[in-house]
Amino acid sequence: MNPIVTVQDAVTAFADFMEPTNAELDAIEQEMPVIQADIDLLDAYITTLDRIPSELDNRRIRRARRRALAARLALLNRTDGASMPGGAA
C-alpha cells in the first residue's frame, strides 16, 4: 500500500505571505548599483573565457573591478551613515 502524501508544501510555497516586504524591496533597491556593477564585471570576465585577453579586455576588466569596488564602498558608506544617529561617524 502506498501512502497518500499531501501537496501542502507545494501550495504554501507560493502563498501571498511569502512575498518580500517593503523593507526587503528597499534593501534590494539600495544594493542595485552593486548588483549592476557585479554583473558588468562578470560580463567582462565572460567575454574573455574563450580567448586570450587583449589589452583592451584587461582594461575593461580593471574598469569593471574598480566600479564594483566603488559601488560597494558607496553602499557601505551609505549604510554606515544611516546606522548612526544624526549621521555622526
Side-chain angles (χ1 to χ4, degrees), residues 44-58:
Y45 281 131
I46 288 169
T47 58
T48 62
L49 283 178
D50 60 345
R51 64 174 190 252
I52 297 172
S54 67
E55 182 57 35
L56 186 62
D57 293 329
N58 287 331

Side-chain angles (χ1 to χ4, degrees):
M1 220 166 124
N2 293 334
I4 298 174
V5 181
T6 64
V7 291
Q8 181 66 29
D9 291 336
V11 172
T12 57
F14 302 106
D16 290 338
F17 64 87
M18 297 294 287
E19 294 293 320
T21 64
N22 287 338
E24 291 169 335
L25 291 174
D26 290 340
I28 292 170
E29 187 67 31
Q30 285 183 351
E31 293 176 7
M32 193 52 74
V34 174
I35 294 168
Q36 187 62 44
D38 285 342
I39 290 171
D40 292 341
L41 179 59
L42 284 172
D43 188 42
Y45 281 131
I46 288 169
T47 58
T48 62
L49 283 178
D50 60 345
R51 64 174 190 252
I52 297 172
S54 67
E55 182 57 35
L56 186 62
D57 293 329
N58 287 331
R59 277 190 261 162
R60 183 177 180 212
I61 290 171
R62 284 194 305 266
R63 278 194 309 266
R65 188 179 298 134
R66 282 195 302 265
R67 280 193 297 261
L69 290 174
R72 285 189 180 95
L73 183 63
L75 177 67
L76 182 63
N77 287 337
R78 208 171 336 144
T79 55
D80 280 349
S83 65
M84 300 296 288

